[in-house]
Amino acid sequence: MEPGQCSGTKETDGDVWAKLVPTDSSYPVIEIRSQDTIICSEVTPSSIDKSKWCEIKRCPDKDSTMIRSTSSFLCFIYPISYGSSLSAIIVDGTVVGEEAVDIKSGSEIISGPDRSGYLSYIFEVILFQQRDSKSLQISIDVEHAKCSICLNLWHDVVTVAPCLHNFCNGCFSEWLRRSSTRSHGKNQSVICPQCRAIVHSVGRNHFLHNIEEAILQTFSSLKRSDEDIALLDTYASIKSNLILGMQKNPPKKRPLTFASDESNDMELPCPQCGAELGGFRCSLTTAHLQCEGCGGRMPSRPESGVLQNCLGCDRAFCGVYWAAQGVDADEFNVICHPDTFKPISQRTISRIPDSTHQNNRYEREITERCIQQTGKTLQAMISDWIVKFVNREIDRTNLQLKHAEKISSRTYLCNDCYNKFIDYLLYWFRVSMSRLLLPRDASERENCWYGYLCRTQHHSDEHARKRNHVCRPTRGSINMHKSFFSVWDKNVSLSVLTLLQPC
């Protein structure tokens, strides 16, 4: 049997649906073709013969993949007791015997019961297979079914033309909003966030939406949390095909309609146009703000003392204002969800945002493991660092939010700005941690020359994994970002300053 083959499987037996990629590139990739396979390959770098050391079985009914140890060879060279004649393997840091456990794409599998001396592999699911009533087989690389903005599987997928790249509806809608904000209302082209080509149109892709649902039925581990899906849906604004990059001439102001007018059934620019709510009614001279959360309008009333703009980006959000006016959200469909704009102290967080560490999922996983080592929840750790931030124990100079000096725990932020704020706190959490406290695989990595500014980490998984990017840039536009790494406050202890120095 050739190295890396599965027992009972020939080269032509079905399509490759998964593979084991060795961390040592001098060994071949093991392709998995059948649904019930025994992996047969070298077990240690010094081994000459191939050994049957694990069984990997796909369970379509459970939408999962199972693995168990089948190695009896290892018992003679590394005797351990697991209540059976079989030895063990290590899956994601856990010792596994003959009892099957779940694995997912990206799981690390070591072919013996110890990390040292045994070959290590990364399990990857590479194909999705679907059969319709006519037995038509479609093979899809799941990595090609991911949004390049959030790096997750599409949700309510939209396609841009002419480059035909695909994104989540919510992700691209937010990209459009940001592009509009940057252009300040000028006629500026929208570019594709993946290839930077000019986008002429965008629309929902119903065919790929069906593919998205079929993939989730097969690989349930790719499903996002209900929280994430609900948040994406609040951002989504693309309901039909949109033509972009063309001059639009909408009226600057919509005509106001009052209760006495005959056209009383017309959609109003805001609930206070035509009705008195909370003791106020819009007049012909009232200026209006457009909410970035729902697209509805509200009167601009800075004198009312009610917050209408996010302190981090100055964009308008209507949830707090309409709540203060006593407006019923069920009666008016122009009020955004209250969770889109709320104070830092009232927010809770259960998972690290995808945008953290420049969308580098390897750095996010390391940060998550570092937090687990502290014995605290993510929420508790963030709360501790919010206190440090408020007490000015960390420098605010390069916080990518407007009015950074005014931000406190009572500050109202939109979801985007809150995620940037969390990213900033998690950066300082990581750089203040000694290398001795980092997980072993993270502490042994060299720093990337370009640090968190590195562009390669966005399109090269290998580079993103092998180099540390939560560090100070030593090449590139360093001068523009020195303040980010400058100093903690003068009151910070010398020992903490030592930890912040680049290794």
Side-chain angles (χ1 to χ4, degrees), residues 307-334:
L307 291 175
Q308 295 181 278
N309 297 85
C310 172
L311 194 65
C313 60
D314 288 336
R315 295 186 299 172
F317 292 88
C318 69
V320 176
Y321 176 80
W322 290 126
Q325 307 306 307
V327 175
D328 185 1
D330 293 332
E331 183 179 355
F332 298 94
N333 293 325
V334 291

Tab-separated table of all heavy atoms in Angstrom, residues 307-334:
chain	number	residue	atom	x	y	z
A	307	LEU	N	-29.364	60.901	22.748
A	307	LEU	CA	-28.289	60.535	21.833
A	307	LEU	C	-28.852	60.078	20.486
A	307	LEU	O	-29.739	59.219	20.439
A	307	LEU	CB	-27.432	59.430	22.438
A	307	LEU	CG	-26.590	59.836	23.656
A	307	LEU	CD1	-25.888	58.617	24.230
A	307	LEU	CD2	-25.565	60.891	23.269
A	308	GLN	N	-28.302	60.628	19.417
A	308	GLN	CA	-28.711	60.239	18.071
A	308	GLN	C	-27.534	59.807	17.203
A	308	GLN	O	-27.744	59.280	16.120
A	308	GLN	CB	-29.429	61.421	17.386
A	308	GLN	CG	-30.739	61.809	18.049
A	308	GLN	CD	-31.421	62.961	17.340
A	308	GLN	OE1	-31.078	64.125	17.552
A	308	GLN	NE2	-32.389	62.643	16.492
A	309	ASN	N	-26.307	60.068	17.673
A	309	ASN	CA	-25.120	59.742	16.882
A	309	ASN	C	-24.150	58.903	17.698
A	309	ASN	O	-23.971	59.136	18.898
A	309	ASN	CB	-24.407	61.016	16.410
A	309	ASN	CG	-25.255	61.843	15.484
A	309	ASN	OD1	-26.066	62.649	15.942
A	309	ASN	ND2	-25.086	61.669	14.190
A	310	CYS	N	-23.527	57.941	17.027
A	310	CYS	CA	-22.508	57.109	17.650
A	310	CYS	C	-21.250	57.943	17.864
A	310	CYS	O	-20.788	58.629	16.944
A	310	CYS	CB	-22.204	55.900	16.762
A	310	CYS	SG	-20.790	54.912	17.297
A	311	LEU	N	-20.683	57.889	19.055
A	311	LEU	CA	-19.489	58.678	19.361
A	311	LEU	C	-18.263	58.138	18.635
A	311	LEU	O	-17.302	58.865	18.418
A	311	LEU	CB	-19.236	58.680	20.871
A	311	LEU	CG	-18.237	59.704	21.403
A	311	LEU	CD1	-18.759	61.117	21.191
A	311	LEU	CD2	-17.947	59.466	22.877
A	312	GLY	N	-18.302	56.870	18.225
A	312	GLY	CA	-17.141	56.283	17.564
A	312	GLY	C	-17.031	56.599	16.092
A	312	GLY	O	-15.935	56.595	15.537
A	313	CYS	N	-18.182	56.868	15.409
A	313	CYS	CA	-18.143	57.107	13.966
A	313	CYS	C	-18.990	58.295	13.524
A	313	CYS	O	-19.010	58.635	12.334
A	313	CYS	CB	-18.599	55.855	13.212
A	313	CYS	SG	-20.296	55.329	13.611
A	314	ASP	N	-19.729	58.899	14.458
A	314	ASP	CA	-20.602	60.055	14.184
A	314	ASP	C	-21.800	59.714	13.305
A	314	ASP	O	-22.526	60.617	12.877
A	314	ASP	CB	-19.808	61.210	13.530
A	314	ASP	CG	-18.870	61.890	14.521
A	314	ASP	OD1	-19.146	61.806	15.735
A	314	ASP	OD2	-17.875	62.489	14.084
A	315	ARG	N	-22.029	58.432	13.017
A	315	ARG	CA	-23.196	58.073	12.215
A	315	ARG	C	-24.448	58.091	13.089
A	315	ARG	O	-24.381	57.900	14.301
A	315	ARG	CB	-23.018	56.698	11.584
A	315	ARG	CG	-21.884	56.617	10.577
A	315	ARG	CD	-21.841	55.265	9.883
A	315	ARG	NE	-21.627	54.180	10.839
A	315	ARG	CZ	-21.705	52.893	10.512
A	315	ARG	NH1	-22.013	52.539	9.274
A	315	ARG	NH2	-21.489	51.951	11.418
A	316	ALA	N	-25.595	58.320	12.458
A	316	ALA	CA	-26.861	58.432	13.185
A	316	ALA	C	-27.522	57.073	13.352
A	316	ALA	O	-27.520	56.247	12.426
A	316	ALA	CB	-27.803	59.380	12.434
A	317	PHE	N	-28.096	56.842	14.535
A	317	PHE	CA	-28.868	55.633	14.831
A	317	PHE	C	-30.100	56.051	15.626
A	317	PHE	O	-30.009	56.868	16.549
A	317	PHE	CB	-28.029	54.626	15.626
A	317	PHE	CG	-26.897	54.042	14.839
A	317	PHE	CD1	-25.660	54.670	14.802
A	317	PHE	CD2	-27.076	52.880	14.104
A	317	PHE	CE1	-24.614	54.149	14.066
A	317	PHE	CE2	-26.043	52.342	13.355
A	317	PHE	CZ	-24.806	52.979	13.333
A	318	CYS	N	-31.252	55.488	15.269
A	318	CYS	CA	-32.519	56.027	15.761
A	318	CYS	C	-33.103	55.321	16.976
A	318	CYS	O	-34.070	55.797	17.561
A	318	CYS	CB	-33.548	56.017	14.637
A	318	CYS	SG	-34.097	54.345	14.153
A	319	GLY	N	-32.561	54.156	17.377
A	319	GLY	CA	-33.189	53.358	18.417
A	319	GLY	C	-33.388	54.091	19.729
A	319	GLY	O	-34.470	54.043	20.335
A	320	VAL	N	-32.349	54.768	20.217
A	320	VAL	CA	-32.434	55.470	21.504
A	320	VAL	C	-33.415	56.637	21.418
A	320	VAL	O	-34.215	56.868	22.334
A	320	VAL	CB	-31.034	55.963	21.931
A	320	VAL	CG1	-31.119	56.772	23.227
A	320	VAL	CG2	-30.084	54.786	22.110
A	321	TYR	N	-33.387	57.367	20.301
A	321	TYR	CA	-34.252	58.534	20.161
A	321	TYR	C	-35.730	58.142	20.193
A	321	TYR	O	-36.523	58.718	20.940
A	321	TYR	CB	-33.940	59.287	18.864
A	321	TYR	CG	-34.869	60.456	18.625
A	321	TYR	CD1	-34.681	61.662	19.273
A	321	TYR	CD2	-35.964	60.335	17.766
A	321	TYR	CE1	-35.546	62.735	19.086
A	321	TYR	CE2	-36.835	61.389	17.559
A	321	TYR	CZ	-36.621	62.589	18.226
A	321	TYR	OH	-37.488	63.639	18.040
A	322	TRP	N	-36.112	57.140	19.384
A	322	TRP	CA	-37.524	56.773	19.315
A	322	TRP	C	-38.001	56.136	20.613
A	322	TRP	O	-39.165	56.297	21.001
A	322	TRP	CB	-37.788	55.831	18.138
A	322	TRP	CG	-37.658	56.508	16.798
A	322	TRP	CD1	-36.882	56.115	15.754
A	322	TRP	CD2	-38.317	57.695	16.373
A	322	TRP	NE1	-37.006	56.977	14.708
A	322	TRP	CE2	-37.888	57.967	15.053
A	322	TRP	CE3	-39.226	58.566	16.962
A	322	TRP	CZ2	-38.335	59.057	14.327
A	322	TRP	CZ3	-39.675	59.668	16.239
A	322	TRP	CH2	-39.229	59.901	14.942
A	323	ALA	N	-37.102	55.440	21.324
A	323	ALA	CA	-37.489	54.895	22.630
A	323	ALA	C	-37.809	56.032	23.596
A	323	ALA	O	-38.757	55.942	24.394
A	323	ALA	CB	-36.370	54.024	23.185
A	324	ALA	N	-37.037	57.131	23.529
A	324	ALA	CA	-37.289	58.286	24.397
A	324	ALA	C	-38.589	58.997	24.041
A	324	ALA	O	-39.212	59.638	24.895
A	324	ALA	CB	-36.120	59.264	24.310
A	325	GLN	N	-39.028	58.876	22.778
A	325	GLN	CA	-40.268	59.515	22.346
A	325	GLN	C	-41.483	58.623	22.600
A	325	GLN	O	-42.620	59.028	22.329
A	325	GLN	CB	-40.205	59.852	20.843
A	325	GLN	CG	-38.986	60.663	20.424
A	325	GLN	CD	-38.824	61.927	21.235
A	325	GLN	OE1	-39.749	62.734	21.357
A	325	GLN	NE2	-37.632	62.123	21.797
A	326	GLY	N	-41.238	57.409	23.078
A	326	GLY	CA	-42.349	56.497	23.350
A	326	GLY	C	-42.955	55.903	22.102
A	326	GLY	O	-44.126	55.482	22.115
A	327	VAL	N	-42.184	55.824	21.013
A	327	VAL	CA	-42.712	55.299	19.749
A	327	VAL	C	-42.740	53.771	19.804
A	327	VAL	O	-41.764	53.126	20.209
A	327	VAL	CB	-41.853	55.781	18.566
A	327	VAL	CG1	-42.320	55.133	17.271
A	327	VAL	CG2	-41.925	57.290	18.455
A	328	ASP	N	-43.840	53.186	19.392
A	328	ASP	CA	-44.013	51.733	19.373
A	328	ASP	C	-43.380	51.168	18.108
A	328	ASP	O	-43.778	51.511	16.989
A	328	ASP	CB	-45.501	51.385	19.430
A	328	ASP	CG	-45.742	49.881	19.534
A	328	ASP	OD1	-44.739	49.126	19.574
A	328	ASP	OD2	-46.911	49.474	19.594
A	329	ALA	N	-42.380	50.292	18.275
A	329	ALA	CA	-41.686	49.716	17.119
A	329	ALA	C	-42.609	48.857	16.261
A	329	ALA	O	-42.382	48.686	15.069
A	329	ALA	CB	-40.490	48.886	17.591
A	330	ASP	N	-43.653	48.290	16.864
A	330	ASP	CA	-44.582	47.461	16.097
A	330	ASP	C	-45.475	48.304	15.192
A	330	ASP	O	-46.018	47.813	14.202
A	330	ASP	CB	-45.461	46.638	17.043
A	330	ASP	CG	-44.651	45.604	17.811
A	330	ASP	OD1	-43.620	45.156	17.272
A	330	ASP	OD2	-45.041	45.264	18.951
A	331	GLU	N	-45.630	49.568	15.525
A	331	GLU	CA	-46.499	50.451	14.743
A	331	GLU	C	-45.763	51.084	13.575
A	331	GLU	O	-46.337	51.335	12.519
A	331	GLU	CB	-47.075	51.542	15.651
A	331	GLU	CG	-48.063	52.465	14.943
A	331	GLU	CD	-48.628	53.524	15.888
A	331	GLU	OE1	-48.320	53.456	17.105
A	331	GLU	OE2	-49.367	54.407	15.420
A	332	PHE	N	-44.464	51.333	13.757
A	332	PHE	CA	-43.661	51.970	12.713
A	332	PHE	C	-42.521	51.039	12.314
A	332	PHE	O	-41.784	50.547	13.167
A	332	PHE	CB	-43.075	53.294	13.208
A	332	PHE	CG	-44.115	54.319	13.578
A	332	PHE	CD1	-44.542	54.431	14.897
A	332	PHE	CD2	-44.677	55.149	12.626
A	332	PHE	CE1	-45.489	55.367	15.257
A	332	PHE	CE2	-45.622	56.087	12.977
A	332	PHE	CZ	-46.044	56.185	14.289
A	333	ASN	N	-42.355	50.825	11.008
A	333	ASN	CA	-41.295	49.951	10.516
A	333	ASN	C	-40.026	50.713	10.187
A	333	ASN	O	-39.258	50.316	9.325
A	333	ASN	CB	-41.775	49.191	9.267
A	333	ASN	CG	-42.880	48.211	9.597
A	333	ASN	OD1	-42.882	47.610	10.655
A	333	ASN	ND2	-43.827	48.063	8.685
A	334	VAL	N	-39.793	51.831	10.840
A	334	VAL	CA	-38.620	52.648	10.545
A	334	VAL	C	-37.746	52.789	11.785
A	334	VAL	O	-36.993	53.734	11.906
A	334	VAL	CB	-39.035	54.039	10.024
A	334	VAL	CG1	-39.657	53.940	8.658
A	334	VAL	CG2	-39.993	54.710	11.006
